[in-house]
Amino acid sequence: AKDPEERFQSARDVARALAWSETEPVERAAHPGRREWLGWAFGSAAMGGTGWMWFQGRRESAGAAPFLRLDVDLGDGTALLPIMTRASGSIAISPDGTRLAYSSGAKGMLYLRKLEEAKAVPLAGIEGASHPFFSPEGQWLGFHCGSDICKVPVEGGAMLAVGPAAAATFAGAWWGEDGYIYISEAYTKGLLRVRESGVAPEPLAGLRNGEIALARPQLLPGGRAILFAAHTTPDVDKATIEVLTPATGERKIVARGGQSPRYVAGAGGSGHLIFVNKRALLAVPFDPGKLETRGSTVPVLSDVAMGRFGNSDFDVSRTGTLIYRKDLLDKAGVSEAEIT
């Protein structure tokens, strides 16, 4: 609306208008009265070739969908896993943008929620789970459990172990379209991959002198290279964002001063590299063919919850739906997202 008085004054107003503000609580086991919030953003061209129209506040083409940002209340008593004690996110969104997965509670239970529905459903018989991630077709949910990488069908079924991954050093995983699950182990092994069917992991890249983690891996489209963040210090904002070519073992720095990298494909074979620095989500155009950035880096969000080793809690679907855990700072400078 041209008149500011006729516009929604907050994302919460939009949520109420869409009748999403009265969702049922999904868990009441821990911390009664506590409410945990997620933010999400919709836009078919949000990370496509038309430009980042949703943070620019205008349409770049006639076909671009308008940007919509909403808050999602997970309900009274819901507590996501402590972010500072985890090495990657506790939330995930399916590739088609229709399902949300998250780990919650002292027992580490896994929940699935269709975004069109009001309630999340716990996966029966699973405890001690964290770091959920979806298979490329969205039919399986992978996660860390105990000292293993495990998987379970999203429609229900038995949990299966895929391969070992030490809890103390686990720093993220990605399920590639090539049938491998890519794993990061900090301090020890670097980057590895294991067949989704379950065999012994094989090493891809070890830690170099001074490195403590190669975190948050992602297999880029076409399987040519793996995107990750290389950490040499506990200060996650000093990490370098790199790509690894498995065929040659060659590594290349594509950005400096960021962590939790993700590539988001757009039209015409190009896309954007998104990453976090000081709780701000940033974006820069990225050419996956040349494995290099181009153009300027621009801010997208400013309140993404962040922990160690690239533990910025966000995920993005292939359809352009971005979901993230909000980092709410109190007056003492302590992140509410870190308190459970």
Side-chain angles (χ1 to χ4, degrees), residues 213-298:
L214 307 180
R216 201 80 182 248
Q218 177 190 6
L219 184 67
L220 294 178
R224 174 190 169 195
I226 303 167
L227 180 71
F228 63 95
H231 296 262
T232 57
T233 168
D235 186 347
V236 295
D237 292 323
K238 293 183 179 179
T240 57
I241 297 174
E242 304 185 23
V243 289
L244 166 72
T245 304
T248 63
E250 180 183 359
R251 288 171 53 174
K252 177 182 178 181
I253 296 176
V254 297
R256 298 180 184 272
Q259 44 94 358
S260 300
R262 278 289 177 261
Y263 170 72
V264 184
S270 62
H272 283 81
L273 172 66
I274 60 175
F275 58 94
V276 175
N277 181 280
K278 293 181 172 59
R279 295 181 172 81
L281 185 68
L282 308 175
V284 61
F286 184 79
D287 186 332
K290 297 181 178 180
L291 297 177
E292 60 186 25
T293 60
R294 50 182 174 78
S296 302
T297 301
V298 292

Side-chain angles (χ1 to χ4, degrees), residues 43 57 62 76 137 151 163 198 200 209 212 216 240 246 249 261 268 281-282 304 308 317:
D76 290 331
E137 75 286 352
K151 64 179 183 179
N209 291 337
I212 58 177
R216 201 80 182 248
T240 57
L281 185 68
L282 308 175
V304 181
R308 65 186 180 96
S317 72

Side-chain angles (χ1 to χ4, degrees), residues 19 36 48 61 74-75 121 135 137 159 173 177 213 224 262 282 293-295 299 312 315 326 336:
E36 191 96 37
S61 70
L74 296 183
V121 178
S135 63
E137 75 286 352
M159 179 183 73
E177 294 183 344
R224 174 190 169 195
R262 278 289 177 261
L282 308 175
T293 60
R294 50 182 174 78
S312 295
D315 197 14
K326 298 182 68 173
E336 180 180 325

Side-chain angles (χ1 to χ4, degrees), residues 182-195:
Y182 293 80
I183 304 168
S184 168
E185 289 203 23
Y187 298 113
T188 55
K189 299 179 181 179
L191 293 178
L192 310 94
R193 67 181 181 182
V194 60
R195 283 282 186 185

Side-chain angles (χ1 to χ4, degrees), residues 88-136:
S88 66
S90 59
I91 59 174
I93 192 167
S94 60
D96 63 3
T98 63
R99 295 177 187 264
L100 168 66
Y102 60 92
S103 47
S104 174
K107 294 183 178 181
M109 297 181 64
L110 276 179
Y111 289 83
L112 277 173
R113 172 179 167 180
K114 292 183 178 180
L115 296 187
E116 64 184 16
E117 297 178 354
K119 296 183 66 175
V121 178
L123 296 179
I126 297 177
E127 294 185 357
S130 61
H131 318 93
F133 55 95
F134 283 91
S135 63

